Amino acid sequence: MLKKFVALFVSLVLALAFPATALANTTVSFSYPDGAFDDEEMNASVVYSDAFFKNKATKRNDSLALLSAGAASAVYDKDDIKAFLQKCGFTNKRDSVTDENSDNLSFNFGKKKIGKKTVVAVILQGTSTKQEWKSNLNLGFDDNMQTESIHKGFNATEKAVHKKLDTFLKTNKLKKGSVMFWVTGHSRGAAVGNIMAKRLSDKYGNSNVYAYTFASPKIAKVSAKSARKYTNIFNYVNPDDI
């Protein structure tokens, strides 16, 4: 299961040092499997600050990356991610999508008012069931406007999650101009997160989407010009990962 890989990527990001000027509001603790055969549980802590979402989304923030890695690890357990989001001051809504093609995914939404805007958290879980491997291995491509070709399985899953997100926004009366997004996930969740962050950036603007993903598979064929547009999406990758 790809869950086994999560410890490696969380550990890599944990090695990043916090900037000396980081504004720390609260410390959030979480646990994650060490990735070894005994699957020992490891513990770590990260710092949350509202200031993360007052900085430019297009400028990499190592502290926000660290927080995102923690969230992407905690989302594998519904109780862990609930506690994680609540400690950061976000509401918590656990949900999932399922369909006959196994384009399934579990995820958490949350929201928090920061200044004049509301930050919506989108925390996407990696592969957790055998059925999801069918979607992972659906390697066909959906073409869009002749500029990009997107992995069919991930694309179908993102569209299903995005519908849920649109409902969440409508229910909470959150509209363009009043909302920002924090998107993160590991492995399968990272793949879906990249597609979602791209589409949210197209609609709401790069400055309103903070996206940090970990161990994402390759998800699309895009032109170099198109790829350069999304400087607010940061992917953390271990070059030794198959």
Side-chain angles (χ1 to χ4, degrees):
M1 240 185 241
L2 286 179
K3 180 179 178 182
K4 289 281 189 179
F5 288 111
V6 71
L8 175 59
F9 299 101
V10 172
S11 298
L12 286 171
V13 182
L14 286 173
L16 295 169
F18 286 111
T21 57
L23 300 176
N25 287 354
T26 188
T27 298
V28 186
S29 299
F30 65 99
S31 60
Y32 60 95
D34 66 355
F37 291 110
D38 57 359
D39 215 20
E40 181 182 354
E41 189 174 86
M42 307 295 288
N43 298 304
S45 297
V46 294
V47 172
Y48 171 82
S49 173
D50 286 348
F52 295 163
F53 302 103
K54 296 178 182 178
N55 298 325
K56 290 183 178 180
T58 54
K59 184 177 181 180
R60 193 190 78 217
N61 183 326
D62 289 344
S63 295
L64 180 53
L66 189 58
L67 182 78
S68 300
S73 177
V75 76
Y76 282 93
D77 183 282
K78 65 180 182 179
D79 294 325
D80 287 350
I81 189 59
K82 178 180 179 180
F84 192 100
L85 286 172
Q86 290 181 344
K87 184 70 174 179
C88 295
F90 284 78
T91 63
N92 173 68
K93 177 179 173 57
R94 181 75 168 183
D95 206 343
S96 62
V97 294
T98 59
D99 76 357
E100 61 184 13
N101 296 316
S102 299
D103 295 320
N104 305 341
L105 191 81
S106 296
F107 53 89
N108 284 67
F109 294 152
K111 65 182 179 69
K112 182 179 185 179
K113 187 72 178 292
I114 299 178
K116 295 182 179 180
K117 291 190 175 184
T118 298
V119 177
V120 172
V122 180
I123 317 297
L124 303 156
Q125 185 171 312
T127 304
S128 301
T129 67
K130 292 180 180 179
Q131 289 79 11
E132 290 172 0
W133 274 105
K134 182 177 178 181
S135 178
N136 289 347
L137 298 174
N138 186 1
L139 302 178
F141 284 92
D142 291 326
D143 292 324
N144 178 33
M145 297 185 298
Q146 299 181 344
T147 60
E148 59 187 28
S149 298
I150 304 177
H151 181 291
K152 277 191 175 182
F154 299 145
N155 195 31
T157 305
E158 191 280 336
K159 287 180 178 179
V161 177
H162 213 125
K163 286 183 179 180
K164 297 264 189 175
L165 178 60
D166 286 341
T167 299
F168 180 84
L169 295 174
K170 185 176 181 180
T171 300
N172 289 282
K173 299 179 180 179
L174 298 172
K175 299 180 180 180
K176 186 176 181 179
S178 67
V179 65
M180 299 188 296
F181 299 89
W182 169 33
V183 181
T184 190
H186 162 258
S187 192
R188 176 173 171 78
V192 174
N194 271 289
I195 299 170
M196 176 168 284
K198 184 265 186 192
R199 289 175 175 159
L200 289 173
S201 297
D202 288 342
K203 182 174 181 179
Y204 295 92
N206 290 18
S207 62
N208 292 307
V209 181
Y210 298 76
Y212 291 80
T213 71
F214 305 89
S216 176
K218 292 183 178 180
I219 58 169
K221 299 176 182 178
V222 299
S223 67
K225 181 179 180 181
S226 177
R228 285 194 296 268
K229 288 172 57 179
Y230 303 101
T231 56
N232 58 318
I233 302 175
F234 299 94
N235 288 276
Y236 286 75
V237 180
N238 182 339
D240 290 330
D241 183 13
I242 59 173

